[in-house]
Amino acid sequence: MKIAFTTKGTEWDSMMDPRFGRTEFFLIYDEEHDELKPHDNRSSSNDAHGAGPKTAQVLFGLDSKVLITGNGPGGNAASVLKKARIDIYVGAGDMTVRQAWEAYKEGKLKKF
Amino acid sequence: MKIAIASGKGGTGKTTLSVNLSAYLAEKEEVVLSDLDVEEPNSGLFINAMAVHEEEKYKMVPVWKEDQCTLCGICQEVCNFHAVIQLGEMIMVFPELCHGCYACSELCPTDALPMVPKKMGMLKHLRNDKLSFIESRLDIGEEQAVPLIKQSHEYVDEHFPDDIIRIYDSPPGTSCPVIEVTKDVDFVILVTEPTPFGLHDLKLAVETMKELKKPFGVVVNRHGIGNDEVLHYCEDEDIPVLAKIPNDRKIAVLYSEGKLIYNEVPEVKQELDKIIAYLRKLKQGGVQ
């Protein structure tokens, strides 16, 4: 399974980005192959409107089934993620990616 | 003559000036006041008037016809606001994000995104003797102020002759709703307070008006607080300061009771007279 993190960098020790729609990066962790791949989402800062649903669409294209983030998506993005059947876990905004991953595995993150 | 009352910073006294200036002018002549701060209109709190008419306002948004769609993706490519999103074999439409430009609908090769009306707010028309008051109010949850402001302009243009004074109470800031309110007016009054925050946002508003090539002047409200930086700035930039409304507790008390102030505080009436004199001169072409 692929798991997506909203992040400010591209490493396991990077900080999470608490935002969803305007997150700087996604880090996609492929559990099966133990691979971590970044996706640059910084162009979202150019979007005056609709960054949330747009970013949700991008995430759909990245084919991950779980999203780990901070504050949680807004209403429009949440409806796209729901249709895309992506499970969302929130509350990892102040963690590093590694800490967020461990918190998720230990069931410490809240399901959105 | 069309006059917009705008500001950079919020809470500087746009509504106070709008309602008092309008009511004062309406003692002698026909005036239309339009509250175009459609996200939170509050001029109506200070106007006692009888309802003349009210109507629901609609904007046009696309709906997806699944059976006609070929999933070509043109609709989401042409939408600048991500209001139309293709997700696998599905098109999702977000009406709150839609600016009603028709691009997705018109460019769809199979007519799978027809436009339908969606209610966005209400327009009310009230009257008290020579003062006509138009208030537009956006529904809760609606994100786009511009379509309602545009329709409110159309209502005023259709229902009132060109030669009477029209005053438009603008939202704060410098973004699209402010542009929509001010772009066709003859003059813009920028209300500011004499504080660093007031000056900072005044500069943004001034830049916006210069970009729009609008003639404008400044009214300093709560004159006496803060510092002289706003006045120095206006002097350096050759911006006319039309009036300085004093900082007076009595004004705040009257405001909090939903009352007009110009008849209660003589200094306010004097300052309004200065603004009116400036506008009259402007109308006669006496101001360069």
Side-chain angles (χ1 to χ4, degrees), chain A residues 54-76:
Chain A
K54 171 76 176 135
T55 298
Q57 182 191 33
V58 166
L59 186 58
F60 175 77
L62 294 172
D63 198 29
S64 69
K65 291 287 163 240
V66 172
L67 166 68
I68 296 173
T69 184
N71 302 331
N76 288 332

Side-chain angles (χ1 to χ4, degrees), chain B residues 169-182:
Chain B
D169 188 3
S170 165
T174 53
S175 62
C176 299
V178 178
I179 309 296
E180 188 62 36
V181 171
T182 55

Side-chain angles (χ1 to χ4, degrees), chain B residues 211-230:
Chain B
E211 185 74 30
L212 289 173
K213 299 187 169 58
K214 284 288 150 196
F216 62 91
V218 164
V219 167
V220 177
N221 190 19
R222 303 189 68 201
H223 180 58
I225 64 165
N227 56 37
D228 290 337
E229 293 297 311
V230 165

Side-chain angles (χ1 to χ4, degrees), chain B residues 104-123:
Chain B
C104 61
S105 188
E106 292 289 323
L107 294 169
C108 175
T110 57
D111 294 327
L113 284 164
M115 299 295 276
V116 298
K118 178 180 187 292
K119 183 169 173 282
M120 63 176 164
M122 290 288 295
L123 179 146

Side-chain angles (χ1 to χ4, degrees), chain A residues 47 50 54 57 60 76 79-80, chain B residues 76 82 86-88 90 94:
Chain A
D47 289 323
K54 171 76 176 135
Q57 182 191 33
F60 175 77
N76 288 332
S79 65
V80 177
Chain B
Q76 67 161 4
H82 306 311
Q86 182 176 356
L87 201 68
M90 190 190 322
F94 297 95

Side-chain angles (χ1 to χ4, degrees), chain B:
Chain B
M1 188 179 201
K2 300 178 181 180
I3 301 146
I5 298 186
S7 72
K9 186 181 172 299
T12 55
K14 288 179 295 302
T15 296
T16 305
L17 181 61
S18 298
V19 295
N20 282 278
L21 184 62
S22 301
Y24 187 28
L25 283 164
E27 288 181 356
K28 293 189 183 136
E29 61 184 303
E30 290 282 332
V31 177
V32 190
L33 168 64
S34 305
D35 192 346
L36 297 182
D37 189 1
V38 300
E39 288 171 274
E40 40 194 351
N42 62 348
S43 289
L45 299 172
F46 304 90
I47 305 278
N48 290 315
M50 299 287 287
V52 175
H53 174 72
E54 64 176 56
E55 60 189 46
E56 295 182 337
K57 286 297 187 187
Y58 294 83
K59 67 173 184 178
M60 300 300 281
V61 297
V63 283
W64 183 48
K65 299 283 180 204
E66 186 175 1
D67 50 346
Q68 276 161 256
C69 181
T70 58
L71 297 168
C72 68
I74 289 175
C75 51
Q76 67 161 4
E77 276 168 37
V78 298
C79 184
N80 265 335
F81 304 101
H82 306 311
V84 184
I85 293 263
Q86 182 176 356
L87 201 68
E89 297 189 347
M90 190 190 322
I91 302 292
M92 295 182 77
V93 176
F94 297 95
E96 297 80 15
L97 294 174
C98 176
H99 286 51
C101 75
Y102 282 66
C104 61
S105 188
E106 292 289 323
L107 294 169
C108 175
T110 57
D111 294 327
L113 284 164
M115 299 295 276
V116 298
K118 178 180 187 292
K119 183 169 173 282
M120 63 176 164
M122 290 288 295
L123 179 146
K124 289 183 184 171
H125 177 171
L126 300 94
R127 186 171 178 87
N128 178 3
D129 196 19
K130 292 192 174 65
L131 178 63
S132 297
F133 176 55
I134 309 296
E135 178 197 87
S136 289
R137 183 179 295 268
L138 208 57
D139 285 344
I140 290 170
E142 286 296 320
E143 294 181 28
Q144 304 304 328
V146 170
L148 184 54
I149 294 170
K150 189 175 265 185
Q151 290 189 28
S152 306
H153 275 312
E154 287 164 6
Y155 184 91
V156 172
D157 291 345
E158 280 167 22
H159 288 82
F160 297 95
D162 274 341
D163 54 351
I164 66 172
I165 293 195
R166 303 177 186 185
I167 293 176
Y168 300 95
D169 188 3
S170 165
T174 53
S175 62
C176 299
V178 178
I179 309 296
E180 188 62 36
V181 171
T182 55
K183 68 180 184 190
D184 291 324
V185 301
D186 302 307
F187 190 74
V188 180
I189 297 175
L190 298 175
V191 188
T192 188
E193 59 178 34
T195 61
F197 189 177
L199 177 60
H200 176 272
D201 284 9
L202 175 65
K203 286 178 180 169
L204 297 176
V206 165
E207 281 171 36
T208 308
M209 292 310 136
K210 284 184 174 165
E211 185 74 30
L212 289 173
K213 299 187 169 58
K214 284 288 150 196
F216 62 91
V218 164
V219 167
V220 177
N221 190 19
R222 303 189 68 201
H223 180 58
I225 64 165
N227 56 37
D228 290 337
E229 293 297 311
V230 165
L231 295 176
H232 290 152
Y233 167 74
C234 290
E235 201 179 324
D236 291 346
E237 296 288 317
D238 256 339
I239 298 166
V241 175
L242 311 184
K244 298 171 206 163
I245 298 169
N247 184 50
D248 184 338
R249 185 182 157 81
K250 201 172 170 195
I251 295 173
V253 171
L254 289 163
Y255 179 89
S256 71
E257 291 169 346
K259 291 178 182 160
L260 295 174
I261 55 177
Y262 71 92
N263 271 329
E264 311 285 334
V265 184
E267 296 92 326
V268 172
K269 198 177 235 179
Q270 284 167 20
E271 295 304 306
L272 292 182
D273 279 328
K274 289 183 193 167
I275 297 171
I276 292 166
Y278 187 90
L279 295 174
R280 296 225 188 285
K281 222 163 117 187
L282 192 75
K283 199 178 172 186
Q284 289 156 9
V287 176
Q288 293 302 311

